[in-house]
């Protein structure tokens, strides 16, 4: 029964616009007759090898495209319309923060990125040697799992250097602080000020924050944040 449901789902989604028409049937019969003719001419292994190649190609395509499309797991990003809490843990709070219904912890970055109801691409090329991003918090802002804010942070590998890069993303409008207007992409403009950059893209609002114990000019901070933001739009 599960197999029939899966087959029906694939027909309605993955193979919606693909039909095995008469032209394709004729092509298959032509290939079969061609293989049989080749076999009779002393090449009996050609048809099995060709069949194996087609099967291998189908399995590769299925693994890379079809199953990720059905499960919603592709590139570590979510395709859920609401927050998936099945692998998250509720964070107990002595006093609930205003505007936050529930806060969650994730066992890994991958789980967090798949749980949130929007796609989030993290910058990889920062200006300092850093540890992988860690999940600081996932917050359900409206209590229905649809409006979510996630906070992630990467710290310097050198423990003697105080450097952290924080990414906060939410599918809820963030007020752009009154800073300097900066161009990030052709259709994306952000607001920079106080070593922070706020911008919006495709309905997701981002706040990038860079903290350094070393003196950093305004120009250097802006360039670093804009460079990181560009990576997140790819």
């Amino acid at each position: 029964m599960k197999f029939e449901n899966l087959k029906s789902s694939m027909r309605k989604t993955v193979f919606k616009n693909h039909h095995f028409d008469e032209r394709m049937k004729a092509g298959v019969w032509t290939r079969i007759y061609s293989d049989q003719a080749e076999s009779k001419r002393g090449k009996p292994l050609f048809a099995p090898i060709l069949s194996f190649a087609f099967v291998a190609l189908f399995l590769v395509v299925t693994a890379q495209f079809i199953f990720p499309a059905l499960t919603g797991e592709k590139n570590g990003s979510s395709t859920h319309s609401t927050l998936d809490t099945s692998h998250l843990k509720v964070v107990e709070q002595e006093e609930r923060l205003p505007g936050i219904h529930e806060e969650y912890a994730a066992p890994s970055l991958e789980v967090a990125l798949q749980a949130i109801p929007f796609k989030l691409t993290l910058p990889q090329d920062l200006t300092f040697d850093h540890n992988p991003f860690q999940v600081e918090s996932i917050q359900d802002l409206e209590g229905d799992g649809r409006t979510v804010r996630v906070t992630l942070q990467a710290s310097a590998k050198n423990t003697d250097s105080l450097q952290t890069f924080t990414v906060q993303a939410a599918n809820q409008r963030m007020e752009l602080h009154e800073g300097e207007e900066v161009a990030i992409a052709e259709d994306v403009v952000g607001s920079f000020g106080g070593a922070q950059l706020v911008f919006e893209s495709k309905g997701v609002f981002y706040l990038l924050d860079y903290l350094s114990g070393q003196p950093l000019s305004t120009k250097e901070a802006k360039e670093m944040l804009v460079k990181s933001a560009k990576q997140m739009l790819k």
Side-chain angles (χ1 to χ4, degrees):
M1 188 63 181
K2 292 181 178 180
F3 177 78
E4 291 300 322
N5 292 338
L6 176 60
K7 183 168 66 175
S8 176
S9 175
M10 292 175 70
R11 284 175 177 172
K12 293 178 181 178
T13 56
V14 179
F15 301 116
K16 180 179 179 181
N17 298 318
H18 298 273
H19 304 283
F20 196 66
D21 54 27
E22 294 300 321
R23 182 179 60 81
M24 296 172 67
K25 290 180 182 179
V28 172
W29 282 116
T30 300
R31 177 61 61 84
I32 292 174
Y33 290 140
S34 175
D35 290 347
Q36 289 177 345
E38 289 292 331
S39 178
K40 292 179 180 180
R41 286 197 293 267
K43 297 180 179 180
L45 294 179
F46 181 77
I49 293 175
L50 183 62
S51 298
F52 178 80
F54 276 119
V55 171
L57 179 61
F58 174 79
L59 292 176
V60 171
V61 172
T62 299
Q64 292 185 350
F65 298 101
I66 296 178
F67 288 135
L70 293 175
T71 61
E73 298 178 2
K74 186 177 181 180
N75 297 329
S77 297
S78 170
T79 56
H80 303 295
S81 59
T82 59
L83 180 65
D84 180 6
T85 62
S86 58
H87 299 292
L88 304 180
K89 181 180 179 181
V90 176
V91 176
E92 299 296 335
Q93 303 176 55
E94 295 183 2
E95 182 178 355
R96 193 174 298 280
L97 299 174
I100 298 175
H101 284 262
E102 204 75 79
E103 183 171 336
Y104 299 90
S108 69
L109 175 62
E110 290 72 22
V111 168
L113 294 180
Q114 291 178 8
I116 58 178
F118 52 85
K119 180 180 179 179
L120 174 58
T121 301
L122 293 171
Q124 299 300 317
D125 184 17
L126 301 180
T127 56
F128 61 97
D129 193 15
H130 62 91
N131 294 308
F133 277 91
Q134 299 295 314
V135 183
E136 295 295 305
S137 66
I138 300 175
Q139 299 166 324
D140 183 355
L141 302 179
E142 300 293 340
D144 57 4
R146 295 183 180 277
T147 308
V148 175
R149 180 166 63 213
V150 59
T151 303
L152 310 163
Q153 189 176 90
S155 58
K157 286 187 176 181
N158 182 2
T159 55
D160 295 330
S161 174
L162 174 59
Q163 287 180 296
T164 61
F165 184 86
T166 303
V167 173
Q168 189 175 93
N171 54 350
Q172 179 190 61
R173 183 173 182 80
M174 292 183 190
E175 292 299 326
L176 302 184
H177 50 60
E178 295 182 1
E180 177 188 352
E181 186 177 284
V182 293
I184 300 173
E186 184 176 349
D187 57 346
V188 179
V189 176
S191 175
F192 168 78
Q196 290 186 338
L197 177 65
V198 180
F199 63 98
E200 180 268 336
S201 176
K202 298 180 180 178
V204 180
F205 291 79
Y206 303 89
L207 186 150
L208 309 185
D209 181 270
Y210 177 57
L211 176 64
S212 174
Q214 302 295 325
L216 193 70
S217 70
T218 300
K219 181 181 178 181
E220 290 173 328
K222 181 173 65 175
E223 289 179 348
M224 185 265 199
L225 292 172
V226 170
K227 177 183 176 182
S228 300
K230 286 179 182 292
Q231 297 175 54
M232 300 176 69
L233 299 178
K234 294 181 179 179

